[in-house]
Amino acid sequence: MSSATPERETESALDPFFTFDFQAVDDPGEGQRWSTWDSIERLCRGPEPRPDWVVTDASAIDTELGVLKTGKEADVFLLERTSTNDAGRTVVMAAKRYRSTDHRTFHRSTSYTEGRRTRKSRDARALAKGSEYGRAVAAGQWAWAEWEALKTFWSDGIPVPYPVQVDGTEILMEFVTGPDGAGAPRLAQARSTPAMLATWFEQLREAMIGLVRAGYAHGDLSAYNLLAAGERLVVIDLPEAVDVVGNPQGMEFLHRDCRNVAAWFTSKGHEVDAEALFADLLAYAY
């Protein structure tokens, strides 16, 4: 008769294939959370090939680092994502979080959204009624619109921050830095020289051509929606990207973008003709 206890018999009967070692991990501390990368759908992850700096570990921890900037419809925070398997695998990202319409000061949404469609009839009705659910849908729509724009433009080679993931009303994206590693300033606050202005404008012109080729105008382009990362210019704040064909006001938005950037560059000593720029872009619109 065997003297082994039932527990020992069960233990010895286990197939080694189905056993594994594990290490218990404590819950993240205050201001932290587990990475949401593994819990979101594939369509909510950035386009491939992904940059090497993107941390995709399911067990990574996100740590809040504070507010980067506040805006009309969203706030941008700094978020550090670190692998628990390799502490050297860490990255700081920009987390853009859209507010509900109860806490926003953005009033021009109807002119920007003409030509856009809402997939679910329930969502369309809620948006029309302005219900609490409708306000939540609206915030999500703006986040999704910017997410889709970032994915499209990044894949087309337009200089925008790499979009890492979207989860509800939060978009995680590349934190654009300058040569010193600090956050890149907006073009309006960047130090310039005549040579640098010429370099920046040529990059901006190429970016605007890329947008038009993709069928879009930025919709709110100015020196405050561009980052100067050294000699590199990066286009940001894209929830208002306008379909230049599907939106009845698409060409007017494009024309306004041209006037805004031409006025800024001209004021800094680099002469730009807004009408010539607009005519140049129209050649790529169809």
Side-chain angles (χ1 to χ4, degrees):
M1 178 179 292
S2 173
S3 61
T5 64
E7 291 81 2
R8 289 181 178 275
E9 289 180 352
T10 302
E11 190 176 293
S12 62
L14 290 175
D15 188 326
F17 180 80
F18 295 102
T19 63
F20 57 91
D21 293 328
F22 70 93
Q23 180 179 0
V25 179
D26 295 333
D27 289 334
E30 185 177 353
Q32 295 182 313
R33 70 185 187 191
W34 294 114
S35 166
T36 52
W37 176 268
D38 212 40
S39 63
I40 58 175
E41 297 180 4
R42 290 187 178 276
L43 290 177
C44 296
R45 299 172 183 169
E48 296 181 344
R50 299 187 185 100
D52 293 340
W53 54 261
V54 177
V55 177
T56 61
D57 298 16
S59 60
I61 290 179
D62 294 343
T63 302
E64 296 279 347
L65 300 181
V67 178
L68 181 62
K69 79 177 186 75
T70 58
K72 295 174 294 186
E73 71 277 358
D75 297 319
V76 180
F77 298 80
L78 287 180
L79 190 80
E80 183 181 65
R81 176 166 288 177
T82 303
S83 168
T84 55
N85 299 318
D86 178 3
R89 289 280 296 158
T90 185
V91 63
V92 175
M93 298 177 288
K96 187 169 186 177
R97 294 165 185 164
Y98 280 83
R99 308 188 199 106
S100 71
T101 49
D102 288 337
H103 302 92
R104 289 165 56 195
T105 58
F106 186 63
H107 301 296
R108 296 174 294 167
S109 60
T110 54
S111 58
Y112 287 98
T113 55
E114 286 188 75
R116 293 184 188 173
R117 295 182 179 179
T118 302
R119 292 182 180 181
K120 298 181 180 179
S121 58
R122 179 196 176 198
D123 291 351
R125 291 193 300 271
L127 284 168
K129 292 179 180 178
S131 64
E132 182 177 350
Y133 172 72
R135 291 191 292 271
V137 169
Q141 278 194 330
W142 284 106
W144 190 258
E146 180 158 26
W147 168 253
E148 289 293 320
L150 285 168
K151 285 200 306 178
T152 298
F153 301 154
W154 171 270
S155 297
D156 286 348
I158 298 168
V160 298
Y162 177 77
V164 177
Q165 67 174 72
V166 63
D167 187 10
T169 57
E170 178 190 74
I171 303 175
L172 297 185
M173 66 184 82
E174 175 188 0
F175 174 46
V176 180
T177 60
D180 60 356
R186 292 173 185 272
L187 181 60
Q189 282 97 35
R191 294 181 179 180
S192 61
T193 64
M196 190 64 76
L197 286 168
T199 297
W200 283 336
F201 178 71
E202 187 55 35
Q203 289 182 58
L204 178 58
R205 177 182 169 277
E206 289 299 320
M208 294 178 77
I209 288 174
L211 288 171
V212 170
R213 278 177 167 165
Y216 291 91
H218 184 286
D220 193 27
L221 191 60
S222 74
Y224 291 93
N225 287 333
L226 295 163
L227 297 179
E231 295 186 0
R232 174 188 173 215
L233 204 66
V234 180
V235 183
I236 60 169
D237 292 338
L238 290 155
E240 301 153 8
V242 175
D243 185 328
V244 292
V245 176
N247 188 313
Q249 301 178 61
M251 287 299 169
E252 174 51 34
F253 280 116
L254 179 62
H255 195 194
R256 190 179 70 183
D257 285 350
C258 292
R259 296 196 302 270
N260 286 346
V261 298
W264 186 85
F265 275 95
T266 298
S267 72
K268 296 298 181 181
H270 184 78
E271 192 73 28
V272 175
D273 185 327
E275 300 307 315
L277 176 60
F278 182 56
D280 188 17
L281 295 176
L282 288 180
Y284 298 92
Y286 299 100

